[in-house]
Amino acid sequence: MGLLTPVWNYVDALVPLTARQDALATARYRAFISPRLFGCLASLAGLPVYVAIRGVPTAPEFGVFVWLTIPVLVVYYLARTGRYEAAHILSSLSLTGAVTLVALFSGGLTSFACAWLMIVPLESAVTGSRRLVFAAVAAVLTAVAGLLLLDITGLLPAAAANERVLGAFGLVSACLYGAGLALAAESLSRAGSLLLDEEKCRYRMLARDMSDVILCYGRNGAVLFASPPAEMLFGAPVSGLTGHGLLDRVHVADRPAYLTALADSAALAEERSLEFRIRQDAGAGGPGRYIWVEMMCRPQDGASDSARSNRDVIAVLRDISERKSQEQSLEGARSRSERAGAAKSQLIATMSHELRTPLNAIIGFSEIMMNNAQNSDARTLEYARLINMSGHHLLAVANGVLDVSRLETGNFTVAPESFSPGPAIENCADMLALKAREAGVEIKLRLGRGLPDVTADRRAFNQILINLVSNAIKFNRQGGDVAITAQCEGAQLLLSVEDTGIGIVESDLLRLGEPFFQASSSYDRHYEGSGLGLSIVRGLLELHGGVMEISSRFGEGTRVKIRLPLDCAATAAREQAGPDANISRLIQSTAKNWMKKSA
């Protein structure tokens, strides 16, 4: 441990906590505190010598020595507040004031103390701030002007008799203080150099150890520096990449964009990113191959606006060949999926249209056969009835498939209109009353009073009701009932269809609404159906901004609750995020699972 270690430890303790996190700031504070403390101590130590030479000091002389203790107060102010520039200004003013006070009583401009005026600007030079230097120079010039004015007016006292001794004392003391300032400046410079070397060392380690390539570009895209990982990325030595060696490796088709990105980054002082192809050598004289790289470039800090054309550009290159390969694979898979989906939708739509024509003829002829009962025997009538029922069933399946296809492709046209939901629900109940009586099921209506009108597609609303009530009748028991409830909740119409049928197991609830999914999927199931009803209901509801909730207990019954906005057109307009928002929503909720099922 050195003899001065306790002293430096004391100086470091005076550095504010806010400055100790930065090594360079700590060095600046030490350079400020050290000469002032030691200078003050030297002045106080020189007081006995001054008394031995001059005798007992007069009141002004004693005031000067008191004034020399001000630097200690300035150091205390800095340690408490951490205000570096304000402390420097106070120090310059106190030193200028002390020198001026001594000069007033020792000959004015010819005083030995005037040599100290040159120390004031030098003292502020270690701050690295032009503003503080100009403030110190202004203080010195003000003091000189004041002394000159007093000298001209003859208000200054005569010079001391022992002027040579005092002059020598002033010069020696100024030199010693200047030496302290020089040592402080040297210490500050050495600290800055050490920090810079450490920073460079860290950057070298970072550039060497990181997998990305760091490049420094000069004018016209010439490479000035390339980090060591460039050899691994390009399969060539770094010396072969400097200059325009890297440009020669860029794919010809990508060179214009490559040079434009570098030029824009330098000229506009903005970050640029680019993906391009570059040749990678295979080694041993191989032909090499092109790989995809991503470049992020930005101008080097510190260049002035007048030197934009000469501004260096720092770039980071990263190999993205694997990511590009994955993107191309995903793009190919997406394109194939879109083509397959479009072809499948077109096929289903065409088949549905083609099936409807002969089915309508079959249904029509079977009805003619059933109406001519007097000309047919019982077996013929039974066959005609079966043909008619099968034809209606197949037509319903074809219509359901066509509706799902329209929903999936976004071709289902919605024509909102204002109508009363009460009569529409009653019409649906009347339409399915015969089917309910044949199944031994009773339909109960529970409509709230004063139901407001809704703005929706009337045909879609009827189709939603028919599908829900038909399912409730089909999956009910003999003697059961179907309750249709409608009421208004805020800006929504709450519609519920509840049955007392067989119910649904909990594992199947989450999949209800998927196209072609049925809770009983075996081929010998008791109930007919294609599994499209709830899927169509969900799709039509989403087109109107509505939602569907299904709750059920196996063996006890099922309740389907739907919430439909009273003004579906306004709700859809608010929720629309783009021209294909409805299509995207339907694809996510129905068509995606349906395509998977169909595949």
Side-chain angles (χ1 to χ4, degrees), residues 121 124 129-141:
S124 61
S129 172
R130 291 185 178 182
R131 183 175 61 179
L132 295 181
V133 173
F134 289 151
V137 171
V140 170
L141 292 179

Side-chain angles (χ1 to χ4, degrees), residues 102-340:
V102 174
L104 284 175
F105 295 97
S106 58
L109 293 176
T110 60
S111 171
F112 70 94
C114 289
W116 277 81
L117 292 177
M118 295 183 295
I119 299 297
V120 178
L122 295 178
E123 184 184 54
S124 61
V126 297
T127 64
S129 172
R130 291 185 178 182
R131 183 175 61 179
L132 295 181
V133 173
F134 289 151
V137 171
V140 170
L141 292 179
T142 301
V144 171
L147 292 174
L148 179 61
L149 180 62
L150 293 176
D151 190 17
I152 293 175
T153 56
L155 298 178
L156 291 177
N162 52 353
E163 183 178 353
R164 293 182 178 180
V165 176
L166 294 177
F169 177 78
L171 289 176
V172 171
S173 60
C175 289
L176 292 176
Y177 193 77
L181 292 177
L183 291 175
E186 188 275 336
S187 175
L188 184 61
S189 176
R190 185 172 64 254
S193 299
L194 291 175
L195 291 175
L196 183 60
D197 291 340
E198 292 178 0
E199 197 73 13
K200 288 181 179 179
C201 183
R202 282 195 292 267
Y203 278 120
R204 290 193 190 99
M205 293 176 59
L206 179 63
R208 183 180 65 252
D209 296 337
M210 69 185 302
S211 58
D212 295 344
V213 177
I214 300 177
L215 301 173
C216 179
Y217 290 91
R219 297 188 58 185
N220 301 324
V223 177
L224 304 179
F225 167 80
S227 61
E231 296 185 2
M232 183 181 300
L233 178 62
F234 302 117
V238 172
S239 58
L241 302 175
T242 55
H244 293 285
L246 186 63
L247 176 63
D248 296 336
R249 294 175 172 271
V250 179
H251 195 280
V252 176
D254 297 335
R255 289 182 186 179
Y258 169 77
L259 293 175
T260 300
L262 293 176
D264 289 348
S265 180
L268 303 178
E270 296 177 354
E271 292 186 3
R272 287 290 186 268
S273 62
L274 178 68
E275 295 178 357
F276 60 93
R277 291 159 292 180
I278 196 166
R279 190 178 74 252
Q280 182 185 61
D281 292 345
R289 64 188 182 99
Y290 280 97
I291 61 174
W292 279 96
V293 296
E294 180 184 35
M295 180 179 71
M296 302 289 295
C297 57
R298 59 172 298 171
Q300 186 176 6
D301 296 334
S304 61
D305 293 338
S306 60
R308 286 181 176 178
S309 59
N310 297 326
R311 181 182 288 151
D312 293 343
V313 174
I314 304 299
V316 178
L317 268 66
R318 176 176 299 174
D319 186 359
I320 59 170
S321 300
E322 184 176 354
R323 190 186 78 188
K324 275 291 184 179
S325 177
Q326 294 176 354
E327 290 178 356
Q328 293 172 357
S329 299
L330 290 175
E331 180 65 22
R334 186 185 65 83
S335 300
R336 290 192 296 271
S337 176
E338 289 179 353
R339 290 195 299 268

Side-chain angles (χ1 to χ4, degrees), residues 335-353:
S335 300
R336 290 192 296 271
S337 176
E338 289 179 353
R339 290 195 299 268
K344 187 178 298 183
S345 300
Q346 183 65 30
L347 175 63
I348 292 174
T350 303
M351 290 179 60
S352 299
H353 280 292

